[in-house]
Amino acid sequence: MANSTEPQKPQNTKKNKKKGATLDTFYGAKIQNTEQTEDNIKENAPKPSKGNGNSPQTYEECESPMTKKMEAFWEEKLEIMQKKFTHLQNQFDQTVKENQALKARIRQLEDNNRVKEQELIKQSQNTKKLEENIKYLTDKVIDLENRGRRDNLRIIGLPEKPEINTKLDMVIQDIIKENCPEILEQGGNTATDRAHRTPSTLNPQKTTPRNVIAKFQSYQTKEKILQEARKRQFRYKGMPIRVTQDLASSTLNDRKAWNMIFRKARELGLQPRISYPAKLTIYFQGKVWAFNKIEDFQLFAKKRPELCGKFDTENQRARNT
């Protein structure tokens, strides 16, 4: 068995040698081929492009430009926003300053307005006092003018003729002789200081004759003539005339305002009279009633069934127009 085994060893050795060489060669070649293949793969492999994140180096290469762009973009936006914020802050500060200035101006205006209101109140009070003083002085002047005319008579309706205008003194004496001769019989002083037409110039557009103003030397004689003129109609050579007390123009206008009521009161038998300066008196229900204003009389008439609706001056004026 030894001999059978011994000759077999060399054969096996050769075989093993061949087999070992073959294996080494095989595995070495395989390893070498594997390395060459890997090198070829690495060499032939495409280089990573931007945006391909197959390796950390490639990701960093791709990330860096994008990050820079994003940072630059947001830095630009931030800078724009910062500028806008600064502009808005400046505008806000300016608005605050303007608001404070306006508040100060408003306070100043309010103070000035308060002062002006106080001054206006004082001026209103002073104006009211002045108006009261003016009214008092006006009434005083009118009263003095009326008293200065106390010796005068006004003759209304005397014809406008040259022979009359040149001899007014003699015409007045003729009127006294024709209408109240008893004054002459009693030895009254009928002389006049002067007599004239009023107004002094003739208005050709006015058809009615101008009034005649006669100033008597005796106040008592003037009063007697006036009393007779209130009793009956005076005439001059058959023509009707009217003799009244001469008064200031404002007082005459106040008296004329009573004309419509005066005529109606006479028709109703109320015995109306106009007393000085322009006061209406009537006799009603056994009493004498006096009125300084037309409104007072109208209110009085509305409360009396006998007079209500009979003194509507506005309707009467509308009918006349």
Side-chain angles (χ1 to χ4, degrees), residues 102-118:
L102 289 174
K103 286 182 178 179
R105 181 62 177 168
I106 290 172
R107 285 194 294 270
Q108 183 180 1
L109 291 174
E110 287 178 350
D111 295 338
N112 294 339
N113 189 31
R114 193 176 298 107
V115 173
K116 289 182 178 179
E117 286 180 354
Q118 294 176 355

Side-chain angles (χ1 to χ4, degrees), residues 54-315:
N54 293 328
S55 66
Q57 184 179 2
T58 302
Y59 178 78
E60 290 175 357
E61 292 176 354
C62 295
E63 182 184 17
S64 178
M66 292 180 64
T67 304
K68 290 180 180 179
K69 288 183 178 180
M70 293 297 292
E71 289 178 354
F73 173 78
W74 287 114
E75 285 178 358
E76 182 180 359
K77 292 293 183 182
L78 182 61
E79 185 178 358
I80 294 172
M81 292 178 66
Q82 186 67 30
K83 290 180 179 179
K84 290 184 177 180
F85 177 77
T86 304
H87 179 67
L88 292 175
Q89 185 67 33
N90 294 333
Q91 286 185 341
F92 177 76
D93 295 339
Q94 185 66 23
T95 304
V96 170
K97 292 180 181 179
E98 292 177 355
N99 188 22
Q100 292 176 352
L102 289 174
K103 286 182 178 179
R105 181 62 177 168
I106 290 172
R107 285 194 294 270
Q108 183 180 1
L109 291 174
E110 287 178 350
D111 295 338
N112 294 339
N113 189 31
R114 193 176 298 107
V115 173
K116 289 182 178 179
E117 286 180 354
Q118 294 176 355
E119 292 179 355
L120 183 61
I121 292 173
K122 292 180 180 179
Q123 290 179 357
S124 299
Q125 295 174 352
N126 293 334
T127 302
K128 186 176 180 181
K129 291 180 180 179
L130 289 174
E131 290 177 351
E132 292 176 354
N133 292 336
I134 290 172
K135 186 178 182 305
Y136 170 78
L137 293 174
T138 302
D139 295 340
K140 190 68 174 178
V141 169
I142 293 173
D143 182 67
L144 291 173
E145 184 178 356
N146 289 329
R147 294 183 183 277
R149 295 170 181 259
R150 64 194 300 269
D151 297 333
N152 298 354
L153 284 179
R154 183 180 291 261
I155 303 172
I156 304 170
L158 195 63
E160 189 88 28
K161 296 180 180 180
E163 60 272 18
I164 295 177
N165 293 339
T166 56
K167 299 178 181 181
L168 287 175
D169 293 336
M170 297 178 61
V171 171
I172 293 171
Q173 297 299 322
D174 294 338
I175 291 173
I176 297 172
K177 291 178 183 179
E178 184 177 352
N179 295 278
C180 46
E182 62 275 7
I183 295 176
L184 296 175
E185 294 175 359
Q186 295 174 0
N189 182 12
T190 59
T192 57
D193 285 337
R194 57 186 175 272
H196 61 88
R197 293 276 185 177
T198 180
S200 58
T201 57
L202 178 64
N203 185 2
Q205 297 180 354
K206 191 173 182 180
T207 58
T208 58
R210 294 174 292 172
N211 297 342
V212 174
I213 306 298
K215 179 176 176 58
F216 287 83
Q217 294 180 355
S218 173
Y219 172 77
Q220 290 77 11
T221 302
K222 187 268 311 181
E223 282 294 317
K224 290 179 181 180
I225 296 172
L226 186 60
Q227 290 176 3
E228 294 295 328
R230 289 171 178 169
K231 294 178 183 178
R232 59 183 183 272
Q233 178 72 56
F234 272 30
R235 293 180 178 274
Y236 173 70
K237 294 182 179 181
M239 293 181 297
I241 60 174
R242 189 157 61 94
V243 178
T244 62
Q245 174 66 47
D246 181 36
L247 296 169
S249 59
S250 58
T251 305
L252 291 175
N253 292 331
D254 293 340
R255 288 192 170 200
K256 285 180 182 178
W258 291 104
N259 284 348
M260 299 182 70
I261 295 175
F262 186 89
R263 288 194 294 267
K264 190 64 180 178
R266 180 180 287 176
E267 293 175 2
L268 297 175
L270 300 177
Q271 303 177 14
R273 288 189 61 184
I274 302 294
S275 58
Y276 182 81
K279 181 167 62 176
L280 175 69
T281 59
I282 60 173
Y283 186 78
F284 179 71
Q285 294 181 349
K287 295 181 181 180
V288 177
W289 303 83
F291 307 93
N292 291 319
K293 297 181 180 179
I294 295 177
E295 293 78 8
D296 297 338
F297 177 81
Q298 290 177 341
L299 183 62
F300 172 83
K302 287 180 180 179
K303 295 181 179 179
R304 270 70 181 176
E306 301 88 344
L307 305 177
C308 184
K310 296 180 180 179
F311 292 93
D312 194 350
T313 57
E314 293 183 358
N315 291 336

Side-chain angles (χ1 to χ4, degrees), residues 1-15:
M1 294 181 66
N3 293 327
S4 59
T5 58
E6 288 179 359
Q8 293 177 352
K9 289 180 182 180
Q11 294 177 355
N12 293 334
T13 302
K14 291 180 180 180
K15 291 181 180 179

